[in-house]
Amino acid sequence: MQMFGGVRGKIASKMIQKAEKNHFGRMLSQISKEQFGLEIGPSLRPCAPKREGYHVEIVDWADRQALIERYAAMGLDTSRIEEVDYIWDGRSYSEVTGKTNSYDYIIASHVIEHVPDFVGFLRDCSKMLKMNGVLSLAVPDKRFTLDHFRMVTTTGKVINDFLRGEKYGSVGALTDYWNHVVRRNGLTSWSRARDRVLKKEYEFVHDAEFNRRAFEDCAGKEQTAHDFHQNVFTPASFELLIYELWEYGLIDLKISTLYDTTAEEFIVQMNKAEKCPVLSDRERMELMRRVSRENVIF
């Protein structure tokens, strides 16, 4: 991480503090310490820390000591890592926790873009939530990340993943990621505020030789887990996706709050519900226009 001194350093520090305040404040806007919740994959940065009095359980890919060792070796601050209640082993989260209709809220920050089965993930969360329970998500806005030039995820794509019971992500999804992710001025993510001042200078993260070899290593072989952005969103594309999945009866979560992008992410809160608002043709067309406008990139 590049550090700055003097006035520039103070400005950068204030921007980081503001982004942190927005992130945690919005993620927790429908959540109280008295409620019982689950946080999925918080690792370095829990949103609802037990040490601050939140009645919360944590599921992550490893226990606390393993997380500390992993991130300490990367030179990162591990002071906020908390005790892990459940270690994810590839099964659904409801199977791992053994809980259904139990949680008042579920928090997942920068998780949903990684899940191979978007619909399955939402259904799994809904299964664990009480009626009217809250699912609070922090989602990267592709316009301000390495996904800048990738097309947004469509309803058809996530339906296919669900019907196939996708566990790892297809080779096609992997090649789409490898071929198209970029850096901008050396960065793989940048704030919305910096987007206005950064030069529009992009470079591919992976070269053609890497892409070819990676494809050959995966094609025709049994799939294994890869950590990459399976899905790509802007605020409007996420909203349209959720609405259309509800129309097909595939989910029972409706968006209650969608905070527009600050830094490089937007915050979405959804509630488990029996009914979802119905969009008129005019409202749906306007939403599709917003998707198109947000997907225009330079």
Side-chain angles (χ1 to χ4, degrees), residues 7-65:
V7 174
R8 192 179 180 190
K10 291 179 182 178
I11 293 172
S13 177
K14 287 181 179 179
M15 288 176 65
I16 292 171
Q17 290 173 10
K18 183 177 180 181
E20 289 269 303
K21 184 178 180 180
N22 283 339
H23 173 85
F24 293 117
R26 292 174 174 181
M27 289 291 284
L28 299 172
S29 63
Q30 294 187 44
I31 291 167
S32 69
K33 292 182 180 180
E34 293 72 30
Q35 293 174 312
F36 179 44
L38 176 72
E39 187 158 6
I40 299 174
S43 295
L44 289 164
R45 197 169 73 149
C47 290
K50 298 176 183 179
R51 71 188 69 183
E52 293 182 12
Y54 286 93
H55 183 32
V56 64
E57 295 181 328
I58 291 175
V59 56
D60 221 315
W61 61 270
D63 63 24
R64 180 172 183 268
Q65 187 56 41

Side-chain angles (χ1 to χ4, degrees), residues 118-119 122-123 126 241-243 245-254 270 273:
F118 180 91
V119 175
L122 293 183
R123 289 164 68 101
S126 176
L241 182 58
I242 294 301
Y243 174 72
L245 291 175
W246 184 285
E247 274 194 320
Y248 285 112
L250 291 171
I251 61 172
D252 61 358
L253 293 163
K254 68 175 183 180
M270 295 188 283

Side-chain angles (χ1 to χ4, degrees), residues 70 110 113-114 168 174 177-178 224-230:
R70 162 80 179 271
H110 288 252
E113 68 273 18
H114 294 273
Y168 303 117
L174 269 168
Y177 176 82
W178 288 327
T224 56
H226 294 271
D227 185 20
F228 70 103
H229 286 188
Q230 304 262 1

Side-chain angles (χ1 to χ4, degrees), residues 97-217:
T97 63
K99 292 195 168 63
T100 58
N101 301 309
S102 299
Y103 295 112
D104 296 297
Y105 65 87
I106 296 174
I107 295 172
S109 177
H110 288 252
V111 171
I112 197 155
E113 68 273 18
H114 294 273
V115 299
D117 181 0
F118 180 91
V119 175
F121 174 82
L122 293 183
R123 289 164 68 101
D124 194 26
C125 288
S126 176
K127 186 176 181 179
M128 293 185 287
L129 284 171
K130 298 175 182 177
M131 184 57 68
N132 299 316
V134 178
L135 175 60
S136 190
L137 304 172
V139 186
D141 185 328
K142 71 110 176 178
R143 295 173 294 179
F144 312 110
T145 74
L146 77 175
D147 294 317
H148 184 77
F149 289 107
R150 297 179 65 195
M151 295 296 102
V152 295
T153 295
T154 65
T155 303
K157 190 264 186 190
V158 300
I159 288 177
N160 282 340
D161 290 341
F162 171 66
L163 294 177
R164 287 196 301 261
E166 197 67 67
K167 291 184 177 181
Y168 303 117
S170 66
V171 175
L174 269 168
T175 55
D176 177 62
Y177 176 82
W178 288 327
N179 281 327
H180 301 139
V181 289
V182 297
R183 295 186 186 93
R184 181 176 179 182
N185 300 136
L187 303 171
T188 54
S189 68
W190 54 93
S191 69
R192 188 169 194 167
R194 292 192 70 189
D195 187 67
R196 304 187 189 99
V197 297
L198 284 174
K199 294 180 180 178
K200 296 185 183 297
E201 295 178 354
Y202 302 94
E203 61 180 359
F204 289 112
V205 173
H206 307 298
D207 61 24
E209 180 64 16
F210 173 92
N211 295 338
R212 184 184 63 79
R213 289 182 178 178
F215 173 74
E216 290 173 351
D217 286 341

